[in-house]
Amino acid sequence: MSLPDGLRNTAQAKNWVDSLPLSYKYSAGVSGQRFAEGLKQGKILGSKCSKCGETFLPPSLYCPNCFVYSSDYVEIPPYGKIYSFAEADGKAIALIRFHGVTGGLIHVVKRPSAGRLKIGLRVSAVFRPTEQRKGDLTDIEFFEIRPHS
Amino acid sequence: MESKKTLPGTPIAGAEWDNEVYSFRKHSVQLRYAWDAGSAVSGFLEGLKEGRILGRRCNRCMRVLVPPRAFCERCFRSTDEWVEVKDTGKINTYSVSYVNNDASRRDKPLIVAVIEIDEASPGMGFLHVLGEVEPSKVHVDMKVKAVWKPRDERVGAITDIKYFKPLEV
Amino acid sequence: MRRVAVVGAGMTLFRHRMLETGKEMAFEASRMALDQAGLDIKDVDSVVLGSAPDAFDGVHMKGEYLLDGAGGTCKPYTRVYVGGGTGVFVPIAAWWQVASGVADIVLVVGEEKMSPLLPHPQYAFWSIFDPILERPLGVTLLWIFSLEMRRYMHVYNVKEEDIALVAVKNKRNALDHPAAQLAANITVDDVLKSEPICWPVKRLDVSPTSDGAAAVVLASEDVARRITDDPVWITGVGWNVDSTYWTNRDLCYPEYLEKAANMAYRMAHISDPKKEIDFAEVYDPFDYKELHHMEGLQLARRGEAPKLTREGVTQRDGDLPINPSGGLLGVGNPIAAAGMMKIAEVFWQLRGEAGKRQVKKPVRRGLAQAWGDLMQVGTVVIMER
Ligand SMILES: [Zn+2]
Ligand SMILES: [Zn+2]
């Protein structure tokens, strides 16, 4: 569609430049708070649904299948497997899944001194010293390849 | 509902929020934009730079639209021509703002108003601020006039009009 | 068109800040609504969610983010949005689906988490204004409300005292609401002496910013008759949007709301709303808005709402109770959830489940209304027992 005649020549199209600076403070939520407290204690917590029996990581206040309150928070052993990984800026980022658990964690995997990263390798969480933990995912410093995996 | 003594939810008290007794994540973004003014508003801004207020006329409903637009939203057709209108008008409504847009308090209250511009169609006007007047002296229907920035300070912006001031004494 | 019933309602507390994430609040309200209806998530055919600008929660694609909390995973799911009018628009969008036969059971969810935005949620509203003609002036959302309030006061010669009566009534009504954030016994004098924010708007004329969620379940007539002895029917819906050129409009009368209301009244076969509507939950983010909206809804003649308020007509034991819940001024204003709170209140009132909030006269027909965007949208739902 063409512009009306009177408009076409009158003015140069203009840009108006401005910015919208936004700052946020997000609460972790009820289940996120439990997860954060677990990490501070060196634990990985998931949530369990008594109706369907599924365990979820990160934990959720409710079961996404059954849409009922989760019945329990359970400690998940810090041993998992690389489900998939990507490498960027010299770092390896992996989706790590845990046996019998739906979901998983995205985290940094320390490269093995010999050999290459592979899907399916077994990894374990290395927590920071207690006094350095802040109650977030960085309380796990990285995942490392377990020997003989 | 009344059988449920308490509803779900976990309030965070002010001190709990400030002292961060819960786990929080903070994040900031700085979004920058370049908005196209479009043909009609570009012309309006050019006019402001020259110290003139421009509108567009729709030759079907004969309304003079201020601020100008490329199309008449009632007739749903392109507008037809530019019209220069006066830089005077009357106050449709006004208020006195004690806050900034982030809800912080202003140092000095600001009088803001919707001004119906003379020679535009009835009810046509725009938002601006008032100056050279005390809040208690302002009233609805008061006649006002634009106070322009000096020519060399005008950049083609709504703020090329510094404020509107009362015409009456 | 098929008949559509409301069969359950639920909500969270409304508070300035909540620990729950938006998803968690959406879940809690939805779970409560499903429990009241005696339904499982598997029974739900479709989900409609309402939430205001993403800028509050600070999560883009907020609809998708909230999906699993609203029970929408792998279901036909929609997010609808008409600014502050959203809360009463969500059930309208769900009504389309049941009335048309697309779905038998629809979960309807309103969520808002305003607290994350720093330093104040108010700041997000800056981005709704014209970036070239309005933002350079330093515009705030409060400006447009106070400009509208001033115009209303001027045209009908309304005093600030009369408007303050609305805040007094609603905050007192909210004392009986278990979700309420700002319930209080205050006086007109307290309102008049409260800190001026943007005169004529003062601190106590305004509803707070809030976190919260509310939900209802809609069902077709067949389903409703099967699962409940006490369905509440949606008999009229209406919505209407005016231009964003708000400085070119009549600011003292909401014509768009009159049109939305008339659409709903026609559908519900109502010819004299003042006589035929038993009580109403009208949108009250500011006290003058209750008066403005009563007039747009034609529950009062133009300029008459302050008089009705003064005479006690709009009290819970009056002839036309308005906002027996306590409204946004008393219960809180998590935008889309606040409109849904009104839908839930009409449902509970019609079922006689409002407890201490129950209006005195017997009620058969109630109305919920919301309003928003750049003072340009009206959304209306009429419900009957
Ligand atoms: Zn389950
Ligand atoms: Zn026209």
Side-chain angles (χ1 to χ4, degrees), chain A residues 20-26, chain B residues 25-31, chain C residues 58 116-119:
Chain A
L20 190 60
L22 296 170
S23 291
Y24 293 97
K25 179 166 162 178
Y26 302 93
Chain B
R25 294 295 292 176
K26 285 186 202 151
H27 191 65
S28 293
V29 281
Q30 172 95 23
L31 303 172
Chain C
L117 184 58
L118 305 175

Side-chain angles (χ1 to χ4, degrees), chain A residues 48-56 62-70:
Chain A
K48 194 172 166 67
C49 172
S50 64
K51 201 168 170 189
C52 66
E54 229 171 298
T55 301
F56 297 91
Y62 51 91
C63 171
N65 302 331
C66 309
F67 210 61
V68 296
Y69 282 92
S70 298

Side-chain angles (χ1 to χ4, degrees), chain C residues 50-351:
Chain C
S51 200
D54 293 3
F56 291 120
D57 292 55
V59 179
H60 278 276
M61 304 207 319
K62 179 158 71 158
E64 292 76 358
Y65 164 79
L66 292 168
L67 172 121
D68 59 305
T73 312
C74 288
K75 291 186 192 289
Y77 174 83
T78 327
R79 173 188 177 187
V80 295
Y81 175 73
V82 280
T86 301
V88 172
F89 192 62
V90 218
I92 294 176
W95 176 90
W96 298 333
Q97 299 188 15
V98 181
S100 65
V102 167
D104 280 328
I105 299 178
V106 184
L107 176 60
V108 190
V109 188
E111 177 274 356
E112 218 67 63
K113 192 160 173 80
M114 301 174 76
S115 63
L117 184 58
L118 305 175
H120 192 282
Q122 188 67 50
Y123 188 65
F125 289 117
W126 187 58
S127 64
I128 73 176
F129 290 96
D130 186 292
I132 301 169
L133 299 177
E134 290 172 344
R135 283 192 222 174
L137 298 170
V139 63
T140 79
L141 189 70
L142 290 156
W143 288 15
I144 62 174
F145 295 130
S146 51
L147 289 166
E148 199 183 60
M149 178 169 165
R150 186 72 194 77
R151 184 73 194 172
Y152 179 68
M153 290 166 61
H154 172 79
V155 171
Y156 299 120
N157 193 24
V158 178
K159 303 268 171 293
E160 284 176 88
E161 289 87 321
D162 292 335
I163 292 174
L165 280 171
V166 175
V168 172
K169 166 178 71 75
N170 291 4
K171 285 173 191 294
R172 190 193 300 132
N173 283 352
L175 287 167
D176 297 322
H177 201 299
Q181 178 179 348
L182 279 189
N185 251 320
I186 57 166
T187 63
V188 166
D189 217 38
D190 292 334
V191 180
L192 297 183
K193 286 187 175 143
S194 65
E195 166 197 33
I197 306 175
C198 196
W199 185 86
V201 170
K202 301 160 294 298
R203 176 68 59 199
L204 290 173
D205 292 310
V206 194
S207 62
T209 60
S210 317
D211 291 354
V216 298
V217 183
L218 302 194
S220 62
E221 182 163 16
D222 288 354
V223 172
R225 299 249 183 247
R226 197 170 70 233
I227 63 172
T228 177
D229 296 330
D230 214 1
V232 166
W233 304 101
I234 292 182
T235 53
V237 299
W239 66 98
N240 195 285
V241 191
D242 200 347
S243 136
T244 47
Y245 291 107
W246 63 276
T247 58
N248 296 167
R249 283 206 311 261
D250 178 358
L251 293 178
C252 81
Y253 185 73
E255 199 187 331
Y256 48 91
L257 176 58
E258 180 187 301
K259 292 194 156 96
N262 287 346
M263 178 177 168
Y265 293 150
R266 265 196 309 278
M267 196 181 297
H269 307 294
I270 291 170
S271 53
D272 185 355
K274 205 178 161 185
K275 283 210 184 87
E276 295 175 66
I277 298 289
D278 296 328
F279 71 102
E281 281 284 326
V282 307
Y283 211 60
D284 61 326
F286 291 72
D287 43 13
Y288 82 95
K289 289 306 306 188
E290 176 172 309
L291 307 170
H292 216 234
H293 290 150
M294 283 172 65
E295 294 171 16
L297 289 164
Q298 301 143 76
L299 297 175
R301 288 193 306 275
R302 295 188 190 197
E304 189 199 27
K307 179 169 163 279
L308 298 183
T309 306
R310 221 168 29 236
E311 291 168 352
V313 172
T314 60
Q315 297 282 352
R316 264 193 210 136
D317 58 1
D319 287 341
L320 180 59
I322 302 289
N323 290 328
S325 66
L328 279 51
L329 288 162
V331 186
N333 187 6
I335 305 174
M340 282 290 293
M341 178 274 284
K342 291 184 173 291
I343 295 284
E345 181 70 10
V346 174
F347 171 72
W348 285 320
Q349 288 281 351
L350 289 174
R351 299 236 297 196

